[in-house]
Amino acid sequence: MTIYLDYNATAPVRPAVIEAMTEAARRHGNPSSVHASGRAARHRIEAARRDIAALIGRDDGDVIFTGSGTEADALAVRGLGRTSIAVSAIEHDAVLAAAPGAARIPVASDGVVDLCALEALLSTETPGLVCVMWANNETGAVQPVAEIARLAHTAGWLLHVDAVQGAGRLDPAALSEADSIALSAHKLGGPPGVGALLVREGLAVTALIGGGGQERGRRSGTENDIGIAGFAVAATIAAQERETEVARLSALRSRIEDGVRRRATDVRIPGGDADRLCNTVSVALPGVAAETQVMTLDLAGIAVSAGSACSSGKVKRSHVLDAMFPGDPVAAEAIRVSLGWNSTMDDCDRFLHAWGAMRDRLSPVARPSNAESVPE
Ligand code: PLP
């Protein structure tokens, strides 16, 4: 059986989510229809909207359902209508691709946005939209979004926060001043293909997709009520269990970090000095390509990611680690281990066993061929 340690890519769907979606699939009714079935579907979607806003502590919010976290980011970046855009250098491709000409905000070597550089940029560029993610998907580094909101608003900018990885794992109080927030169901144990953008009440958003005028004209297309039902349940469970899960997963993450450090003194943990997500650790093995590590672990029955996998399945150099360590090979040598609701201590121990064997076999400093006394 595979040990699944890739929750930041997608989490296994929670059993309660499967139940809720199965129940939703048995019902029918277009939420835009005026008859009773349609009105019942509309009622369920509105209830889900409240559950999802509650996950990020925003009952005042205005939640727009989308087809993914990627679409939610694109809707904020393009739909908020600001021409001047600044993005952190470690944003997900969903944000970077939506704002190709944006000014880049640098990060320090711990993976956290450089607030002095941000403040300087905000005061020199025309005020527009600044995008900083809540927590990075590769290193887990948590960004000071409350402080960034304050700096942005003082300088007349709006703040968009990609909360896809932070939601359900971090205290939502930090998001209280954000102007828009992107979420994705499948990182929480909900279904893939459902996301949401929460916008501050009264903020205008121009649709990327026109048509039937759903989501108050900001995202046309019949709502995915089955997926939304699953998203709402996943959000509710994540909110209820957040504190206990943070404690449990932090202990698992420490087990992994201590274990790799004990097995190899040359191992690097990018972002290890920052405040990080409880479930995420980036582990770099000097001299061994990330792609090789992922494949070797896969053969040993362990599923992890390289820092940045693209949709073709190829591993590309991590722009996140490049931003933290310019010109350093670490950007091509790190794997990401990410835990979640179904992870156990046994998973961590089996990972460590496989990782140790891999390291002994592949690391240039551990390989017998490098030891003078060992013949080929
Ligand atoms: N933003 C971050 C930080 C992510 O990690 C991801 C997915 O990996 C996304 C956005 C995109 O979300 P989705 O897969 O729902 O499009």
Side-chain angles (χ1 to χ4, degrees):
M1 200 189 68
T2 301
I3 305 293
Y4 187 79
L5 301 175
D6 202 10
Y7 278 68
N8 287 11
T10 195
V13 179
R14 287 176 180 272
V17 168
I18 296 174
E19 263 174 51
M21 290 176 66
T22 308
E23 205 187 306
R26 292 208 177 93
R27 295 186 291 244
H28 54 271
N30 186 323
S32 298
S33 298
V34 292
H35 50 61
S37 305
R39 290 198 309 276
R42 163 68 45 212
H43 182 75
R44 291 191 296 271
I45 285 180
E46 295 313 320
R49 230 185 274 285
R50 287 191 292 276
D51 292 341
I52 287 153
L55 171 69
I56 45 171
R58 298 278 290 253
D59 57 0
D60 61 327
D62 193 354
V63 171
I64 305 167
F65 284 115
T66 63
S68 61
T70 300
E71 188 191 330
D73 278 326
L75 184 57
V77 172
R78 301 204 184 125
L80 288 172
R82 301 300 190 273
T83 45
S84 171
I85 299 181
V87 300
S88 87
I90 56 163
E91 290 303 295
H92 189 271
D93 282 338
V95 169
L96 298 178
R104 293 285 168 108
I105 309 155
V107 294
S109 60
D110 62 357
V112 177
V113 160
D114 178 339
L115 290 180
C116 293
L118 171 67
E119 204 171 0
L121 191 150
L122 294 175
S123 64
T124 48
E125 302 269 334
T126 315
L129 175 71
V130 58
C131 304
V132 179
M133 67 202 325
W134 197 7
N136 184 262
N137 44 303
E138 293 183 31
T139 64
V142 177
Q143 306 303 314
V145 290
E147 174 69 358
I148 292 171
R150 197 184 60 71
L151 293 175
H153 293 159
T154 305
W157 292 65
L158 296 177
L159 171 66
H160 169 65
V161 177
D162 175 336
V164 166
Q165 297 291 351
R169 298 174 182 151
L170 295 171
D171 184 344
L175 295 177
S176 62
E177 300 303 320
D179 297 292
S180 62
I181 300 165
L183 300 168
S184 176
H186 73 115
K187 312 292 183 180
L188 298 167
V194 194
L197 180 70
L198 184 138
V199 287
R200 187 162 48 73
E201 204 74 53
L203 204 55
V205 180
T206 306
L208 302 182
I209 304 171
Q214 286 88 350
E215 298 300 278
R216 293 180 29 213
R218 294 162 306 176
R219 203 279 188 178
S220 286
T222 301
E223 290 91 343
N224 171 4
D225 62 340
I226 300 171
I228 289 171
F231 191 0
V233 171
T236 302
I237 298 173
Q240 282 165 352
E241 297 186 349
R242 187 176 63 79
E243 285 182 19
T244 47
E245 276 296 89
V246 167
R248 191 181 73 83
L249 293 176
S250 299
L252 299 194
R253 193 193 65 183
S254 297
R255 175 81 149 210
I256 289 179
E257 284 186 24
D258 296 347
V260 293
R261 284 201 164 107
R262 246 196 328 274
R263 282 167 176 78
T265 47
D266 58 333
V267 73
R268 291 170 72 182
I269 312 275
D273 295 332
D275 177 21
R276 268 173 311 151
L277 290 177
C278 57
N279 77 318
T280 307
V281 57
S282 172
V283 180
L285 187 52
V288 186
E291 192 161 9
T292 307
Q293 298 179 50
V294 171
M295 288 187 309
T296 306
L297 290 169
D298 186 38
L299 289 173
I302 313 275
V304 297
S305 281
S308 196
C310 55
S311 53
S312 65
K314 287 217 176 75
V315 173
K316 53 180 180 150
R317 218 182 141 79
S318 161
H319 72 276
V320 172
L321 300 185
D322 265 337
M324 292 163 65
F325 306 103
D328 188 313
V330 72
E333 297 173 340
I335 58 167
R336 174 187 69 191
V337 182
S338 54
L339 310 159
W341 65 268
N342 207 22
S343 302
T344 63
M345 203 54 103
D346 186 52
D347 292 343
C348 300
D349 289 342
R350 288 168 70 176
F351 165 80
L352 286 171
H353 181 77
W355 188 88
M358 172 182 79
R359 194 256 174 194
D360 290 348
R361 201 154 60 81
L362 299 179
S363 164
V365 294
R367 261 200 309 244
S369 57
N370 270 18
E372 282 163 20
S373 57
V374 181
E376 280 288 309

Short mmCIF file of all heavy atoms in Angstrom, two decimals, residues 238-281:
data_model
loop_
_atom_site.label_atom_id
_atom_site.label_comp_id
_atom_site.label_asym_id
_atom_site.label_seq_id
_atom_site.Cartn_x
_atom_site.Cartn_y
_atom_site.Cartn_z
N ALA A 238 -12.58 20.83 8.69
CA ALA A 238 -11.24 21.43 8.83
C ALA A 238 -11.26 22.50 9.91
O ALA A 238 -10.32 22.61 10.72
CB ALA A 238 -10.78 22.01 7.49
N ALA A 239 -12.33 23.30 9.95
CA ALA A 239 -12.42 24.35 10.97
C ALA A 239 -12.56 23.74 12.36
O ALA A 239 -11.90 24.17 13.31
CB ALA A 239 -13.60 25.27 10.66
N GLN A 240 -13.41 22.71 12.47
CA GLN A 240 -13.63 22.09 13.79
C GLN A 240 -12.37 21.42 14.33
O GLN A 240 -12.09 21.45 15.52
CB GLN A 240 -14.73 21.02 13.69
CG GLN A 240 -16.13 21.60 13.66
CD GLN A 240 -17.15 20.57 13.18
OE1 GLN A 240 -16.80 19.47 12.74
NE2 GLN A 240 -18.42 20.94 13.26
N GLU A 241 -11.60 20.80 13.44
CA GLU A 241 -10.46 19.99 13.88
C GLU A 241 -9.14 20.74 13.84
O GLU A 241 -8.09 20.15 14.12
CB GLU A 241 -10.37 18.72 13.01
CG GLU A 241 -11.58 17.83 13.16
CD GLU A 241 -11.44 16.51 12.41
OE1 GLU A 241 -10.50 16.38 11.60
OE2 GLU A 241 -12.30 15.65 12.64
N ARG A 242 -9.18 22.01 13.44
CA ARG A 242 -7.92 22.70 13.16
C ARG A 242 -6.93 22.64 14.32
O ARG A 242 -5.77 22.23 14.14
CB ARG A 242 -8.18 24.15 12.75
CG ARG A 242 -6.93 24.88 12.27
CD ARG A 242 -7.23 26.26 11.79
NE ARG A 242 -7.74 27.12 12.82
CZ ARG A 242 -7.00 27.71 13.76
NH1 ARG A 242 -5.70 27.55 13.75
NH2 ARG A 242 -7.56 28.48 14.66
N GLU A 243 -7.37 22.98 15.50
CA GLU A 243 -6.40 23.08 16.60
C GLU A 243 -5.79 21.73 16.95
O GLU A 243 -4.58 21.61 17.14
CB GLU A 243 -7.05 23.73 17.82
CG GLU A 243 -7.17 25.22 17.57
CD GLU A 243 -7.76 25.99 18.72
OE1 GLU A 243 -7.75 25.48 19.85
OE2 GLU A 243 -8.23 27.12 18.48
N THR A 244 -6.62 20.68 17.00
CA THR A 244 -6.07 19.37 17.35
C THR A 244 -5.19 18.85 16.21
O THR A 244 -4.14 18.23 16.47
CB THR A 244 -7.18 18.34 17.65
OG1 THR A 244 -8.15 18.43 16.62
CG2 THR A 244 -7.82 18.56 18.99
N GLU A 245 -5.59 19.12 14.99
CA GLU A 245 -4.78 18.65 13.86
C GLU A 245 -3.44 19.37 13.79
O GLU A 245 -2.42 18.78 13.44
CB GLU A 245 -5.55 18.84 12.54
CG GLU A 245 -6.51 17.71 12.23
CD GLU A 245 -5.78 16.38 12.02
OE1 GLU A 245 -5.58 15.66 13.03
OE2 GLU A 245 -5.40 16.06 10.88
N VAL A 246 -3.42 20.65 14.12
CA VAL A 246 -2.15 21.39 14.10
C VAL A 246 -1.18 20.74 15.08
O VAL A 246 0.00 20.51 14.75
CB VAL A 246 -2.37 22.89 14.41
CG1 VAL A 246 -1.04 23.59 14.71
CG2 VAL A 246 -3.07 23.59 13.26
N ALA A 247 -1.66 20.39 16.27
CA ALA A 247 -0.78 19.78 17.27
C ALA A 247 -0.32 18.40 16.78
O ALA A 247 0.87 18.06 16.86
CB ALA A 247 -1.51 19.66 18.60
N ARG A 248 -1.26 17.62 16.26
CA ARG A 248 -0.92 16.26 15.83
C ARG A 248 0.07 16.29 14.64
O ARG A 248 1.10 15.60 14.65
CB ARG A 248 -2.22 15.54 15.42
CG ARG A 248 -2.07 14.05 15.20
CD ARG A 248 -3.40 13.44 14.77
NE ARG A 248 -3.77 13.76 13.39
CZ ARG A 248 -3.32 13.11 12.33
NH1 ARG A 248 -2.50 12.09 12.47
NH2 ARG A 248 -3.69 13.46 11.11
N LEU A 249 -0.24 17.12 13.65
CA LEU A 249 0.61 17.13 12.45
C LEU A 249 1.98 17.77 12.72
O LEU A 249 2.97 17.38 12.11
CB LEU A 249 -0.10 17.85 11.30
CG LEU A 249 -1.36 17.13 10.78
CD1 LEU A 249 -2.06 17.96 9.71
CD2 LEU A 249 -1.00 15.75 10.21
N SER A 250 2.02 18.73 13.65
CA SER A 250 3.33 19.32 13.99
C SER A 250 4.26 18.25 14.55
O SER A 250 5.46 18.23 14.25
CB SER A 250 3.18 20.43 15.04
OG SER A 250 2.36 21.44 14.55
N ALA A 251 3.70 17.34 15.35
CA ALA A 251 4.52 16.26 15.93
C ALA A 251 5.01 15.32 14.81
O ALA A 251 6.18 14.89 14.82
CB ALA A 251 3.72 15.48 16.96
N LEU A 252 4.14 15.05 13.84
CA LEU A 252 4.57 14.18 12.72
C LEU A 252 5.66 14.87 11.89
O LEU A 252 6.64 14.24 11.48
CB LEU A 252 3.38 13.83 11.81
CG LEU A 252 2.19 13.08 12.40
CD1 LEU A 252 1.30 12.54 11.29
CD2 LEU A 252 2.61 11.94 13.28
N ARG A 253 5.46 16.15 11.66
CA ARG A 253 6.45 16.88 10.87
C ARG A 253 7.80 16.90 11.58
O ARG A 253 8.85 16.71 10.95
CB ARG A 253 5.96 18.30 10.60
CG ARG A 253 6.76 19.02 9.53
CD ARG A 253 6.47 20.48 9.52
NE ARG A 253 6.92 21.10 10.75
CZ ARG A 253 6.75 22.37 11.06
NH1 ARG A 253 6.11 23.17 10.23
NH2 ARG A 253 7.20 22.87 12.19
N SER A 254 7.79 17.10 12.90
CA SER A 254 9.05 17.09 13.66
C SER A 254 9.72 15.73 13.55
O SER A 254 10.95 15.63 13.47
CB SER A 254 8.82 17.39 15.13
OG SER A 254 8.29 18.65 15.27
N ARG A 255 8.93 14.67 13.58
CA ARG A 255 9.48 13.32 13.46
C ARG A 255 10.26 13.19 12.15
O ARG A 255 11.38 12.67 12.12
CB ARG A 255 8.31 12.32 13.48
CG ARG A 255 8.70 10.90 13.25
CD ARG A 255 9.22 10.30 14.54
NE ARG A 255 8.93 8.88 14.62
CZ ARG A 255 8.74 8.25 15.75
NH1 ARG A 255 8.78 8.89 16.88
NH2 ARG A 255 8.52 6.96 15.76
N ILE A 256 9.68 13.72 11.08
CA ILE A 256 10.35 13.63 9.78
C ILE A 256 11.62 14.49 9.78
O ILE A 256 12.69 14.04 9.36
CB ILE A 256 9.38 14.06 8.65
CG1 ILE A 256 8.32 12.96 8.49
CG2 ILE A 256 10.12 14.32 7.34
CD1 ILE A 256 7.28 13.23 7.46
N GLU A 257 11.50 15.71 10.25
CA GLU A 257 12.67 16.60 10.23
C GLU A 257 13.81 16.05 11.08
O GLU A 257 14.96 16.02 10.65
CB GLU A 257 12.28 17.98 10.74
CG GLU A 257 11.51 18.74 9.70
CD GLU A 257 11.23 20.17 10.15
OE1 GLU A 257 11.97 20.70 10.99
OE2 GLU A 257 10.26 20.71 9.63
N ASP A 258 13.48 15.63 12.30
CA ASP A 258 14.53 15.10 13.17
C ASP A 258 15.13 13.85 12.54
O ASP A 258 16.35 13.63 12.59
CB ASP A 258 13.95 14.74 14.56
CG ASP A 258 13.43 15.98 15.28
OD1 ASP A 258 13.75 17.09 14.83
OD2 ASP A 258 12.69 15.82 16.28
N GLY A 259 14.27 13.04 11.94
CA GLY A 259 14.73 11.77 11.35
C GLY A 259 15.69 11.99 10.19
O GLY A 259 16.73 11.33 10.11
N VAL A 260 15.36 12.91 9.27
CA VAL A 260 16.27 13.11 8.13
C VAL A 260 17.57 13.75 8.61
O VAL A 260 18.65 13.43 8.12
CB VAL A 260 15.63 13.90 6.95
CG1 VAL A 260 14.52 13.12 6.30
CG2 VAL A 260 15.16 15.27 7.37
N ARG A 261 17.47 14.64 9.58
CA ARG A 261 18.69 15.29 10.09
C ARG A 261 19.61 14.26 10.76
O ARG A 261 20.83 14.33 10.62
CB ARG A 261 18.33 16.38 11.10
CG ARG A 261 17.79 17.62 10.41
CD ARG A 261 17.91 18.84 11.31
NE ARG A 261 17.76 20.07 10.54
CZ ARG A 261 16.69 20.85 10.57
NH1 ARG A 261 15.68 20.56 11.33
NH2 ARG A 261 16.64 21.94 9.84
N ARG A 262 18.99 13.31 11.46
CA ARG A 262 19.81 12.28 12.12
C ARG A 262 20.50 11.38 11.09
O ARG A 262 21.62 10.94 11.28
CB ARG A 262 18.91 11.40 13.01
CG ARG A 262 19.23 11.56 14.49
CD ARG A 262 18.66 10.46 15.35
NE ARG A 262 17.41 9.90 14.90
CZ ARG A 262 16.21 10.39 15.20
NH1 ARG A 262 16.11 11.46 15.94
NH2 ARG A 262 15.11 9.80 14.75
N ARG A 263 19.78 11.14 9.98
CA ARG A 263 20.34 10.23 8.97
C ARG A 263 21.37 10.89 8.07
O ARG A 263 22.15 10.20 7.43
CB ARG A 263 19.21 9.65 8.12
CG ARG A 263 18.45 8.54 8.83
CD ARG A 263 17.16 8.19 8.11
NE ARG A 263 16.49 7.08 8.75
CZ ARG A 263 15.77 7.17 9.87
NH1 ARG A 263 15.64 8.33 10.48
NH2 ARG A 263 15.19 6.11 10.39
N ALA A 264 21.33 12.22 7.94
CA ALA A 264 22.25 12.89 7.02
C ALA A 264 22.53 14.30 7.49
O ALA A 264 21.63 15.13 7.52
CB ALA A 264 21.61 12.94 5.62
N THR A 265 23.79 14.56 7.82
CA THR A 265 24.12 15.90 8.33
C THR A 265 24.09 16.94 7.21
O THR A 265 23.96 18.14 7.48
CB THR A 265 25.52 15.91 8.98
OG1 THR A 265 26.42 15.25 8.08
CG2 THR A 265 25.52 15.23 10.33
N ASP A 266 24.18 16.49 5.95
CA ASP A 266 24.20 17.46 4.85
C ASP A 266 22.79 17.81 4.35
O ASP A 266 22.64 18.63 3.44
CB ASP A 266 25.05 16.94 3.67
CG ASP A 266 24.55 15.61 3.13
OD1 ASP A 266 23.93 14.84 3.91
OD2 ASP A 266 24.77 15.34 1.93
N VAL A 267 21.76 17.21 4.92
CA VAL A 267 20.40 17.50 4.45
C VAL A 267 20.06 18.96 4.72
O VAL A 267 20.54 19.56 5.69
CB VAL A 267 19.38 16.55 5.15
CG1 VAL A 267 19.17 16.93 6.60
CG2 VAL A 267 18.04 16.55 4.43
N ARG A 268 19.24 19.54 3.83
CA ARG A 268 18.79 20.93 4.05
C ARG A 268 17.27 20.97 4.13
O ARG A 268 16.59 20.23 3.41
CB ARG A 268 19.28 21.83 2.91
CG ARG A 268 20.79 22.01 2.95
CD ARG A 268 21.30 22.70 1.69
NE ARG A 268 20.94 24.11 1.63
CZ ARG A 268 21.25 24.90 0.60
NH1 ARG A 268 21.90 24.42 -0.45
NH2 ARG A 268 20.89 26.17 0.60
N ILE A 269 16.75 21.84 4.97
CA ILE A 269 15.29 22.01 5.13
C ILE A 269 14.97 23.46 4.75
O ILE A 269 14.93 24.34 5.62
CB ILE A 269 14.84 21.75 6.60
CG1 ILE A 269 15.42 20.47 7.17
CG2 ILE A 269 13.32 21.84 6.74
CD1 ILE A 269 14.67 19.21 6.88
N PRO A 270 14.74 23.73 3.45
CA PRO A 270 14.46 25.12 3.06
C PRO A 270 13.21 25.65 3.78
O PRO A 270 12.19 24.96 3.83
CB PRO A 270 14.23 25.03 1.55
CG PRO A 270 14.91 23.75 1.13
CD PRO A 270 14.77 22.82 2.30
N GLY A 271 13.32 26.83 4.32
CA GLY A 271 12.19 27.41 5.07
C GLY A 271 12.13 26.94 6.50
O GLY A 271 11.24 27.34 7.25
N GLY A 272 13.09 26.09 6.90
CA GLY A 272 13.05 25.50 8.23
C GLY A 272 13.12 26.50 9.37
O GLY A 272 12.72 26.19 10.49
N ASP A 273 13.62 27.72 9.08
CA ASP A 273 13.72 28.72 10.16
C ASP A 273 12.48 29.60 10.24
O ASP A 273 12.38 30.46 11.12
CB ASP A 273 14.94 29.62 9.93
CG ASP A 273 16.22 28.81 10.03
OD1 ASP A 273 16.22 27.80 10.76
OD2 ASP A 273 17.22 29.19 9.37
N ALA A 274 11.55 29.42 9.30
CA ALA A 274 10.37 30.29 9.29
C ALA A 274 9.23 29.65 10.07
O ALA A 274 9.24 28.45 10.33
CB ALA A 274 9.93 30.53 7.83
N ASP A 275 8.25 30.48 10.41
CA ASP A 275 6.99 29.96 10.93
C ASP A 275 6.36 29.20 9.73
O ASP A 275 6.22 29.77 8.65
CB ASP A 275 6.14 31.17 11.32
CG ASP A 275 4.77 30.76 11.81
OD1 ASP A 275 4.62 29.59 12.21
OD2 ASP A 275 3.86 31.61 11.79
N ARG A 276 6.05 27.93 9.95
CA ARG A 276 5.61 27.12 8.80
C ARG A 276 4.30 26.39 9.05
O ARG A 276 3.92 26.17 10.19
CB ARG A 276 6.66 26.05 8.48
CG ARG A 276 7.67 26.50 7.46
CD ARG A 276 8.76 25.47 7.34
NE ARG A 276 9.27 25.08 8.63
CZ ARG A 276 9.78 23.88 8.91
NH1 ARG A 276 9.85 22.96 7.98
NH2 ARG A 276 10.23 23.60 10.12
N LEU A 277 3.68 25.96 7.96
CA LEU A 277 2.50 25.11 8.07
C LEU A 277 2.88 23.85 8.84
O LEU A 277 3.97 23.29 8.63
CB LEU A 277 2.00 24.68 6.68
CG LEU A 277 1.37 25.76 5.81
CD1 LEU A 277 1.02 25.17 4.45
CD2 LEU A 277 0.13 26.33 6.49
N CYS A 278 1.94 23.38 9.66
CA CYS A 278 2.21 22.19 10.51
C CYS A 278 2.43 20.93 9.67
O CYS A 278 2.99 19.96 10.17
CB CYS A 278 1.03 21.97 11.44
SG CYS A 278 -0.53 21.77 10.54
N ASN A 279 1.99 20.95 8.42
CA ASN A 279 1.97 19.68 7.66
C ASN A 279 3.04 19.58 6.59
O ASN A 279 3.07 18.59 5.87
CB ASN A 279 0.61 19.54 6.96
CG ASN A 279 0.52 20.42 5.74
OD1 ASN A 279 0.96 21.58 5.75
ND2 ASN A 279 0.02 19.88 4.65
N THR A 280 3.86 20.64 6.43
CA THR A 280 4.71 20.71 5.23
C THR A 280 6.18 20.76 5.59
O THR A 280 6.59 21.53 6.46
CB THR A 280 4.37 22.00 4.44
OG1 THR A 280 2.97 22.04 4.20
CG2 THR A 280 5.12 22.07 3.10
N VAL A 281 6.98 19.94 4.90
CA VAL A 281 8.43 20.07 5.05
C VAL A 281 9.09 19.84 3.70
O VAL A 281 8.73 18.93 2.96
CB VAL A 281 8.99 19.14 6.16
CG1 VAL A 281 8.65 17.69 5.92
CG2 VAL A 281 10.49 19.30 6.31
#
